[in-house]
Amino acid sequence: MENKMIDGVKVSVNYAQADDAPVSDAEIQAYIKRAHEKYPHGQLESLTLDVDGEDVGIHYGLAPVKFDRIRRITGYLVGTLDRFNDAKRAEEHDRVKHEVPSCCIK
């Protein structure tokens, strides 16, 4: 097993047999380039290569995607209130917020 950092990506190379041909840094950079082409909106954190003779198993580790919460407020689906005008902000401020009884929370 071989571990290294290339272009800010943690790379692990696992060899099934002792006589498997070593993977060069240029080949690893080609796999990283392939990941950027295949997942253009993802951020590659790790790359694991499983080498077995002529076969190479490629496993990409992508960073988790930030999740934006969307809520229904005053009839609109919104993530934040920053685009509301003064009237909508007042409507949101004056609305009745219902609570869930503690007996129903598990």
Side-chain angles (χ1 to χ4, degrees):
M1 182 168 173
E2 180 182 333
N3 294 319
K4 58 173 101 174
M5 289 290 285
I6 295 181
D7 296 337
V9 178
K10 180 183 172 190
V11 179
S12 299
V13 182
N14 304 316
Y15 297 100
Q17 302 166 11
D19 60 344
D20 285 334
V23 179
S24 68
D25 286 351
E27 188 176 354
I28 292 171
Q29 288 174 338
Y31 289 129
I32 292 172
K33 181 182 176 190
R34 179 180 180 267
H36 292 303
E37 291 169 358
K38 190 171 181 177
Y39 305 105
H41 301 291
Q43 180 182 354
L44 184 64
E45 288 186 334
S46 65
L47 170 67
T48 303
L49 302 174
D50 295 323
V51 180
D52 188 5
E54 293 290 321
D55 298 326
V56 177
I58 306 167
H59 307 281
Y60 297 119
L62 300 175
V65 178
K66 183 182 177 212
F67 180 79
D68 290 331
R69 180 178 176 197
I70 297 195
R71 302 174 286 169
R72 184 178 188 96
I73 299 176
T74 66
Y76 295 94
L77 294 175
V78 295
T80 62
L81 304 179
D82 59 342
R83 296 182 61 191
F84 276 14
N85 62 20
D86 292 339
K88 275 293 172 195
R89 287 178 197 262
E91 185 179 340
E92 188 277 330
H93 181 266
D94 294 340
R95 73 186 179 128
V96 176
K97 297 175 179 142
H98 301 283
E99 294 184 14
V100 177
S102 61
C103 66
C104 299
I105 300 174
K106 293 184 181 183

